[in-house]
Every structure is written in structure tokens, then in C-alpha cells.
Amino acid sequence: METHLADLAGEGSPSGHRTLAEKAFEVLHRAIIAGRLPPGARLPIEDLAEVLNMSPMPIREAVRRLDAAGLVENIPHRGARVTGLSVVDLAEVYEVRLSLEPMAVRRAAERFTPADEERSRRRLAELDAASDDSSSATFEAHEEFHFALYDTAGSTWLLRTIRPVWETSERYCLALPESRQHKSRAGEHQAILDACAARDGDRAARCLHAHLATTANNLAARMGHEPLYEVTWETARRPRGRQRPAQRPR
């Protein structure tokens, strides 16, 4: 049996789930996102069935769902494996995030209320209070802050589409935690929130775009690759209506 499967033993109880397949999906999904099942790890159906105390059928269904979510790949004649990490995949993931998440935060800013601002500032304070950039608590606080903003957009379909891409990118951040640098980048989150509080959707979207692009560049650098995006924070933070004065001809 694969050694990386051992710590999943005992997690197969269907308590709180309608079906065993749902439970198997949750257990495997959580283990992949958290890195307990690392990139490239084999997922033998029979071994998983034994570890989770289930028949192979719900395991196969769960693995199919994980394949559809991009977290597992089925290799002919070799079986299922946790999807590997690569700069090509990283770039594709962030292309999608850079399309969807600024759209969500722009819409959120246009709908932002004092209650939304209070909730988001509370989430940001929890993130800023996290002492360890690589801890699970920090990752959870980071997710809570971002989705406090995205929830305000009021779009079920945006959230449904953003969530799986976010989870895929979190695998990179967990594998390369030094790229996150929450403490040194706290001002980026503050800039996004301040733009939402000012109901400046364009600025919020620009700030979030720069924030995500910076993370993608940091991850690419940790993988030994050149930056994927050009980032200009000065332009991103400029409030609506303020234009850079034209330079006088010399």
C-alpha cells in the first residue's frame, strides 16, 4: 500500500453525508488541497477502499469527481494520480483567477454596505493577526477574507466557478509557502478592502489583479521561472478620477 495513504485511515465514516461517495470525495479532496496527498501521489482504488473502509465503487466515483475538478489525473495503464504542479498549469490557473476574481470584487465594491465593510475588516484583522505565514490557520484566514469580498458580489455562479480554481492555486501556495509573505504584503489586502469600502469597483479590481499577479510571480520564481505578469501597484491604487498629470515636453 502507498505510504501516503496511511494517515487517511479511519476517515471513511459516512456520518453527516448522504452517500459514501460524498464522504470519499470530501476526504480525498481535503487531503489533496492540504498536501497530505502530494502532487504525483498514486491513488490505487483498492488501497483507498481498504484505508477508507469502503467498497471500490464510491472511491471510483470520488476519483472521477476529483478528475473533473482538475485535482486528479487518470493516466492510461498507470491509474489515478494527484495532479502534478508545473509552471504551465500555474499560468493557466492564474489566467482564470485573473479573469474571474477581479470581476467578482468589482461587482462586490459596487454593492458594498457598512455591514460588508465591518465583516471584511474583521476578517482582515484575523488574517493580520496570524503569526505564521505557512500555518493552516493563516491559509484559512486568507480564504475567509477573500471570500468575504466575493460573497458580497451576490453571484452564485461566480462563486461556484472561482472556488475550484482557488483550491487548485492553494496547492501551489501550500507546496511553496515562502511565496505567500502575508506579513510583508498586508498593504495589498488593505488596498483592496479600502477600494471596496469606497465603492470604487475599478480600483478594487485593479488592486486585486495586481495582488493575484504578484502571488503568481512569487510562485513562478520559487519554481525557478521568470515572472508571469507585469505588476504596477502605483497604477492599481490610483483612486477613480485621479489621473497622472501629463509630463511637460522637455
Side-chain angles (χ1 to χ4, degrees), residues 22 32 49-50 100 119 137 146 200:
E22 288 180 355
I32 291 170
E50 179 181 345
L100 295 176
R119 181 178 67 256
H146 274 271
D200 188 339

PDB file of all heavy atoms in Angstrom, residues 22 32 49-50 100 119 137 146 200:
ATOM      1  N   GLU A  22     -19.805  10.701  -1.423  1.00  0.00           N
ATOM      2  CA  GLU A  22     -19.615  12.074  -0.962  1.00  0.00           C
ATOM      3  C   GLU A  22     -18.537  12.133   0.113  1.00  0.00           C
ATOM      4  O   GLU A  22     -17.705  13.047   0.126  1.00  0.00           O
ATOM      5  CB  GLU A  22     -20.924  12.636  -0.410  1.00  0.00           C
ATOM      6  CG  GLU A  22     -21.963  12.929  -1.474  1.00  0.00           C
ATOM      7  CD  GLU A  22     -23.235  13.490  -0.876  1.00  0.00           C
ATOM      8  OE1 GLU A  22     -23.331  13.548   0.374  1.00  0.00           O
ATOM      9  OE2 GLU A  22     -24.129  13.871  -1.641  1.00  0.00           O
ATOM     10  N   ILE A  32      -5.858  16.337  -0.598  1.00  0.00           N
ATOM     11  CA  ILE A  32      -5.098  16.863  -1.731  1.00  0.00           C
ATOM     12  C   ILE A  32      -4.833  18.348  -1.546  1.00  0.00           C
ATOM     13  O   ILE A  32      -3.702  18.820  -1.721  1.00  0.00           O
ATOM     14  CB  ILE A  32      -5.851  16.598  -3.052  1.00  0.00           C
ATOM     15  CG1 ILE A  32      -5.867  15.095  -3.360  1.00  0.00           C
ATOM     16  CG2 ILE A  32      -5.209  17.369  -4.199  1.00  0.00           C
ATOM     17  CD1 ILE A  32      -6.794  14.715  -4.501  1.00  0.00           C
ATOM     18  N   ALA A  49      -9.956   1.986  -0.975  1.00  0.00           N
ATOM     19  CA  ALA A  49     -11.139   1.326  -0.437  1.00  0.00           C
ATOM     20  C   ALA A  49     -10.824   0.665   0.900  1.00  0.00           C
ATOM     21  O   ALA A  49     -11.618   0.728   1.851  1.00  0.00           O
ATOM     22  CB  ALA A  49     -11.651   0.290  -1.441  1.00  0.00           C
ATOM     23  N   GLU A  50      -9.643   0.062   1.003  1.00  0.00           N
ATOM     24  CA  GLU A  50      -9.255  -0.585   2.261  1.00  0.00           C
ATOM     25  C   GLU A  50      -9.028   0.446   3.364  1.00  0.00           C
ATOM     26  O   GLU A  50      -9.506   0.284   4.498  1.00  0.00           O
ATOM     27  CB  GLU A  50      -7.977  -1.394   2.037  1.00  0.00           C
ATOM     28  CG  GLU A  50      -7.471  -2.101   3.293  1.00  0.00           C
ATOM     29  CD  GLU A  50      -6.186  -2.871   3.053  1.00  0.00           C
ATOM     30  OE1 GLU A  50      -5.829  -3.113   1.869  1.00  0.00           O
ATOM     31  OE2 GLU A  50      -5.532  -3.224   4.051  1.00  0.00           O
ATOM     32  N   LEU A 100     -11.722  36.000 -13.356  1.00  0.00           N
ATOM     33  CA  LEU A 100     -12.936  35.871 -12.550  1.00  0.00           C
ATOM     34  C   LEU A 100     -12.939  36.714 -11.279  1.00  0.00           C
ATOM     35  O   LEU A 100     -13.944  37.367 -10.953  1.00  0.00           O
ATOM     36  CB  LEU A 100     -13.155  34.408 -12.173  1.00  0.00           C
ATOM     37  CG  LEU A 100     -13.430  33.432 -13.313  1.00  0.00           C
ATOM     38  CD1 LEU A 100     -13.529  32.016 -12.775  1.00  0.00           C
ATOM     39  CD2 LEU A 100     -14.709  33.817 -14.034  1.00  0.00           C
ATOM     40  N   ARG A 119     -17.626  43.347   8.301  1.00  0.00           N
ATOM     41  CA  ARG A 119     -17.301  41.916   8.251  1.00  0.00           C
ATOM     42  C   ARG A 119     -15.937  41.696   7.596  1.00  0.00           C
ATOM     43  O   ARG A 119     -15.115  40.916   8.087  1.00  0.00           O
ATOM     44  CB  ARG A 119     -18.380  41.160   7.473  1.00  0.00           C
ATOM     45  CG  ARG A 119     -18.127  39.657   7.393  1.00  0.00           C
ATOM     46  CD  ARG A 119     -19.223  38.920   6.658  1.00  0.00           C
ATOM     47  NE  ARG A 119     -19.283  39.266   5.243  1.00  0.00           N
ATOM     48  CZ  ARG A 119     -20.194  40.055   4.700  1.00  0.00           C
ATOM     49  NH1 ARG A 119     -21.137  40.593   5.454  1.00  0.00           N
ATOM     50  NH2 ARG A 119     -20.171  40.325   3.403  1.00  0.00           N
ATOM     51  N   ALA A 137      -4.003  27.865   9.840  1.00  0.00           N
ATOM     52  CA  ALA A 137      -4.867  28.948  10.319  1.00  0.00           C
ATOM     53  C   ALA A 137      -4.728  30.185   9.431  1.00  0.00           C
ATOM     54  O   ALA A 137      -5.712  30.873   9.138  1.00  0.00           O
ATOM     55  CB  ALA A 137      -4.535  29.294  11.763  1.00  0.00           C
ATOM     56  N   HIS A 146     -10.804  36.830   1.520  1.00  0.00           N
ATOM     57  CA  HIS A 146     -11.123  36.988   0.100  1.00  0.00           C
ATOM     58  C   HIS A 146     -12.580  36.652  -0.185  1.00  0.00           C
ATOM     59  O   HIS A 146     -13.258  37.383  -0.927  1.00  0.00           O
ATOM     60  CB  HIS A 146     -10.203  36.108  -0.747  1.00  0.00           C
ATOM     61  CG  HIS A 146      -8.900  36.754  -1.075  1.00  0.00           C
ATOM     62  ND1 HIS A 146      -8.718  37.537  -2.191  1.00  0.00           N
ATOM     63  CD2 HIS A 146      -7.710  36.758  -0.416  1.00  0.00           C
ATOM     64  CE1 HIS A 146      -7.473  37.992  -2.223  1.00  0.00           C
ATOM     65  NE2 HIS A 146      -6.836  37.522  -1.155  1.00  0.00           N
ATOM     66  N   ASP A 200     -15.397  51.813  -5.113  1.00  0.00           N
ATOM     67  CA  ASP A 200     -14.668  52.067  -6.359  1.00  0.00           C
ATOM     68  C   ASP A 200     -14.331  50.712  -6.984  1.00  0.00           C
ATOM     69  O   ASP A 200     -13.282  50.122  -6.723  1.00  0.00           O
ATOM     70  CB  ASP A 200     -13.395  52.870  -6.044  1.00  0.00           C
ATOM     71  CG  ASP A 200     -12.671  53.335  -7.302  1.00  0.00           C
ATOM     72  OD1 ASP A 200     -12.883  52.743  -8.369  1.00  0.00           O
ATOM     73  OD2 ASP A 200     -11.874  54.293  -7.200  1.00  0.00           O
TER      74      ASP A 200
END
